[in-house]
Amino acid sequence: MMQSLRWRVGLALFVAVLGAIYLLPTLSGVRNSPLSAVLPDSTINLGLDLQGGMHLTLGVDMDKALENNLSRRGRDLRDEAREKGLVILRPTVTKANTLEFVLTKAEQQGELETLIKENYTSLAIQQSVALPDGRVRYVLGMTPAARGYYEAMTLDQAVKTIRNRIDQFGVAEPDIRPQRDDHRIIIQLPGLKERERAIEILGKTAHLEFKLVRDDADPEKARLGMVPGAEFAILKDKLPNGVEREIPIVLEKDVVMTGEYVEEATTGFDNMNRPVVLMRFDPTGARLFDKVTGENVNRRLAIVLDGVVYSAPNINERISGGRASISGSFSVEEARDLAIVLRAGALPAPVHILEERSVGPSLGQESIDKGVTAAMLGGAAVCVFMAIYYGMAGMVANMCLFFNIYLILGGMAAFGATLTLPGIAGIILTLGMAVDANVLIFERIREELRRGLTPRAALNEGFSRATLTIVDANLTTVIAAVILYQFGTGPIRGFAVTLTLGILASMFTAVFVSRIMMDFWVSKRPDACKSI
């Protein structure tokens, strides 16, 4: 038995050391010491309800997303039709989110409709009207199935982009949940203090476009809509003395390139020591940028972000290598934030802040204090009862209880889990279940002693018969916790994580560690079990 006891003690010590390795970085004194260099980085993070932070509800402008999608499909349809010798006039998106255009030759109607049915299955022809001049006006709409798919994809992409931005912002354990029914995104940012900056980063659409400048057009006529194929815009510029100015400018409506090809974005400084955003395109973007600049030497190329023209440099020569920069009236911090949103990618549609709440750290500290007080009072009451009712065996159960808490916290740190107020409730619940397991074992041992077995035989029989019952009972709870984690959100998930870790730790301590202690105790005093 002593040989078996040695390897079991060794395994328990190994688990204890492993728990210490992951738990120590959570302690501020250790985290700021040289010891942190050799310890893992993962720590226990506190949730929004414990350390304060921000709660945001964002609404995704799905109409705008659909409008962008229809506009892009309209351009693709026009280009593809042109390759087949079909001429359709500029497709436009209406307020009812339909796509309208005119086919110039009625005899090509069949060929165009075949093209639409074969290559644009997400679009349905809602109306085709023959005009007196021999042309045909078409109205296309998105099919219900395609609309549902695109809305779901847009929401998923928005969540992914926001998560990327938050990750680069440096917030640990953000909780981001989409609400598909009303196209909303719920965001909880524990510990966030830079409110204004966070809102600015999350709300920026970062829709980057490159458009050619029409220097030959009159800005005033463009503003009145009198320049076909062009649009009026304002170029924001900052003079060396810091004075900002707005320069009227005329841009071609067609976008020659978008920001979807941006692979990397960083900050730097131009030759006048002004902050700029440096971009590097992926291979496809690099080829496209090379082609655009090569075909438009001596023209100006405007860089438009979210409808604002930040710069419009002159193309002096073909630009190969896939690099470009955005200069403008940025501060260093603005340039850095812009680089963040460009790296994270553009939102597929504008988002609006529907609700904003701040949770103060004082409320979180109050929650922590009350939770810790409740846990300490409850734990102390249980320890006193176990010591009085079961004597030395009760003390063994109490030591296992503390080891249980230690393993739960170590496990949470190892997985980088977030501790929330429901999570504290989950820990307290599992402590009660751990005590129940010890009570079940001790009562089994008492039964075997009353049947006349020797202490050693009663110990063996009590543990073997109780273990199966404990595993069965805890297994069903683990299954329930897994389901809670899978389908729950936020605090519910925190509760499920601590409940699962607590059950696994309690089974290990109640069945394995307490058996070690009891075996060691009986080996020293063979009649010790009689005092249970």
Side-chain angles (χ1 to χ4, degrees), residues 281-298:
F281 300 115
D282 62 16
T284 303
R287 286 194 296 272
L288 185 57
F289 196 65
D290 177 274
K291 179 174 179 291
V292 168
T293 54
E295 292 175 350
N296 296 282
V297 174
N298 294 325

Side-chain angles (χ1 to χ4, degrees), residues 209-273:
E209 297 173 317
F210 294 85
K211 293 184 176 181
L212 291 168
V213 179
R214 290 279 303 273
D215 285 320
D216 59 328
D218 183 357
E220 184 57 26
K221 290 184 177 178
R223 191 179 66 81
L224 298 174
M226 299 170 62
V227 182
E231 62 186 9
F232 176 78
I234 294 291
L235 169 62
K236 292 190 173 182
D237 191 24
K238 181 183 284 187
L239 298 174
N241 59 6
V243 176
E244 291 189 0
R245 61 175 179 173
E246 294 184 347
I247 304 172
I249 191 172
V250 181
L251 306 178
E252 290 190 356
K253 279 188 177 178
D254 290 338
V255 179
V256 295
M257 188 173 167
T258 65
E260 62 182 310
Y261 305 105
V262 174
E263 190 173 66
E264 180 61 48
T266 57
T267 57
F269 294 90
D270 61 10
N271 52 11
M272 298 180 67
N273 204 31

Side-chain angles (χ1 to χ4, degrees), residues 337-356:
D337 289 348
L338 181 57
I340 287 176
V341 297
L342 288 175
R343 274 201 303 272
L347 286 169
V351 295
H352 309 289
I353 296 176
L354 304 177
E355 181 187 3
E356 177 199 343

Side-chain angles (χ1 to χ4, degrees), residues 29-273:
V30 175
R31 193 165 55 243
N32 301 322
S33 70
L35 190 60
S36 62
V38 295
L39 293 174
D41 295 331
S42 56
T43 60
I44 299 175
N45 301 304
L46 298 181
L48 184 67
D49 52 355
L50 294 183
Q51 65 168 324
M54 282 186 64
H55 173 101
L56 291 170
T57 300
L58 302 182
V60 179
D61 189 345
M62 203 56 75
D63 288 338
K64 185 65 178 176
L66 293 173
E67 179 186 332
N68 293 339
N69 181 274
L70 280 174
S71 178
R72 187 166 58 251
R73 288 174 184 276
R75 289 197 298 271
D76 293 342
L77 175 61
R78 182 194 59 187
D79 295 341
E80 197 167 345
R82 184 179 300 164
E83 292 176 1
K84 294 181 180 297
L86 310 175
V87 179
I88 61 176
L89 300 183
R90 185 182 301 277
T92 56
V93 180
T94 67
K95 292 182 179 178
N97 266 338
T98 57
L99 186 65
E100 283 191 11
F101 58 87
V102 173
L103 176 67
T104 57
K105 297 180 180 177
E107 61 270 22
Q108 295 177 334
Q109 191 171 355
E111 192 175 353
L112 175 65
E113 292 181 2
T114 300
L115 172 66
I116 294 172
K117 289 176 182 174
E118 289 181 351
N119 296 352
Y120 296 86
T121 54
S122 62
L123 299 177
I125 300 174
Q126 294 183 348
Q127 194 178 42
S128 60
V129 180
L131 301 178
D133 56 359
R135 302 187 298 175
V136 182
R137 185 173 65 86
Y138 278 93
V139 178
L140 305 186
M142 196 172 280
T143 63
R147 186 185 181 99
Y149 172 77
Y150 185 70
E151 287 180 349
M153 190 179 66
T154 299
L155 197 61
D156 289 342
Q157 187 180 344
V159 170
K160 182 181 177 182
T161 302
I162 288 174
R163 188 179 296 281
N164 287 340
R165 291 183 184 182
I166 291 174
D167 287 346
Q168 298 197 35
F169 194 66
V171 177
E173 289 298 312
D175 183 17
I176 306 170
R177 286 170 281 142
Q179 290 187 335
R180 301 193 180 280
D181 293 340
D182 50 7
H183 306 143
R184 294 185 177 189
I185 301 173
I186 309 296
I187 304 172
Q188 291 191 348
L189 305 172
L192 186 72
K193 297 181 176 63
E194 298 175 273
R195 171 186 167 277
E196 297 294 339
R197 189 181 172 204
I199 291 175
E200 176 68 19
I201 288 179
L202 295 180
K204 190 183 283 294
T205 308
H207 185 56
L208 182 64
E209 297 173 317
F210 294 85
K211 293 184 176 181
L212 291 168
V213 179
R214 290 279 303 273
D215 285 320
D216 59 328
D218 183 357
E220 184 57 26
K221 290 184 177 178
R223 191 179 66 81
L224 298 174
M226 299 170 62
V227 182
E231 62 186 9
F232 176 78
I234 294 291
L235 169 62
K236 292 190 173 182
D237 191 24
K238 181 183 284 187
L239 298 174
N241 59 6
V243 176
E244 291 189 0
R245 61 175 179 173
E246 294 184 347
I247 304 172
I249 191 172
V250 181
L251 306 178
E252 290 190 356
K253 279 188 177 178
D254 290 338
V255 179
V256 295
M257 188 173 167
T258 65
E260 62 182 310
Y261 305 105
V262 174
E263 190 173 66
E264 180 61 48
T266 57
T267 57
F269 294 90
D270 61 10
N271 52 11
M272 298 180 67
N273 204 31

Side-chain angles (χ1 to χ4, degrees), residues 211-512:
K211 293 184 176 181
L212 291 168
V213 179
R214 290 279 303 273
D215 285 320
D216 59 328
D218 183 357
E220 184 57 26
K221 290 184 177 178
R223 191 179 66 81
L224 298 174
M226 299 170 62
V227 182
E231 62 186 9
F232 176 78
I234 294 291
L235 169 62
K236 292 190 173 182
D237 191 24
K238 181 183 284 187
L239 298 174
N241 59 6
V243 176
E244 291 189 0
R245 61 175 179 173
E246 294 184 347
I247 304 172
I249 191 172
V250 181
L251 306 178
E252 290 190 356
K253 279 188 177 178
D254 290 338
V255 179
V256 295
M257 188 173 167
T258 65
E260 62 182 310
Y261 305 105
V262 174
E263 190 173 66
E264 180 61 48
T266 57
T267 57
F269 294 90
D270 61 10
N271 52 11
M272 298 180 67
N273 204 31
R274 295 182 303 186
V276 296
V277 178
L278 306 173
M279 298 178 293
R280 179 166 58 84
F281 300 115
D282 62 16
T284 303
R287 286 194 296 272
L288 185 57
F289 196 65
D290 177 274
K291 179 174 179 291
V292 168
T293 54
E295 292 175 350
N296 296 282
V297 174
N298 294 325
R299 292 194 64 182
R300 288 203 292 161
L301 183 66
I303 300 173
V304 187
L305 183 70
D306 291 345
V308 178
V309 182
Y310 280 86
S311 56
N314 192 65
I315 303 172
N316 296 321
E317 58 184 355
R318 177 189 291 270
I319 303 175
S320 304
R323 294 184 180 275
S325 65
I326 304 176
S327 59
S329 52
F330 300 127
S331 65
V332 174
E333 188 174 78
E334 287 171 342
R336 188 165 55 243
D337 289 348
L338 181 57
I340 287 176
V341 297
L342 288 175
R343 274 201 303 272
L347 286 169
V351 295
H352 309 289
I353 296 176
L354 304 177
E355 181 187 3
E356 177 199 343
R357 284 189 283 117
S358 296
V359 180
S362 58
L363 179 60
Q365 188 59 46
E366 185 181 348
S367 301
I368 294 173
D369 294 342
K370 288 185 177 180
V372 170
T373 302
M376 290 183 67
L377 289 177
V382 169
C383 289
V384 170
F385 171 79
M386 293 295 287
I388 294 174
Y389 196 73
Y390 291 108
M392 188 61 191
M395 295 301 294
V396 170
N398 291 340
M399 285 188 278
C400 288
L401 198 61
F402 288 111
F403 191 46
N404 193 2
I405 299 173
Y406 168 82
L407 290 183
I408 292 174
L409 297 178
M412 292 188 68
F415 290 107
T418 300
L419 182 61
T420 62
L421 204 55
I424 293 177
I427 292 175
I428 296 173
L429 174 62
T430 54
L431 294 183
M433 295 174 68
V435 174
D436 279 348
N438 284 114
V439 169
L440 186 62
I441 293 170
F442 295 157
E443 290 301 321
R444 287 286 187 187
I445 294 174
R446 278 183 172 179
E447 285 181 11
E448 301 305 329
L449 288 171
R450 284 197 288 270
R451 286 176 53 207
L453 295 183
T454 63
R456 167 61 62 187
L459 188 68
N460 292 335
E461 196 67 17
F463 266 97
S464 63
R465 293 181 63 185
T467 298
L468 191 58
T469 306
I470 294 169
V471 171
D472 281 348
N474 286 334
L475 191 60
T476 55
T477 310
V478 169
I479 293 173
V482 170
I483 294 173
L484 279 177
Y485 183 84
Q486 183 65 32
F487 296 102
T489 56
I492 302 298
R493 281 191 160 194
F495 176 78
V497 169
T498 53
L499 184 62
T500 305
L501 288 173
I503 289 172
L504 296 177
S506 73
M507 283 196 290
F508 178 74
T509 55
V511 176
F512 190 79

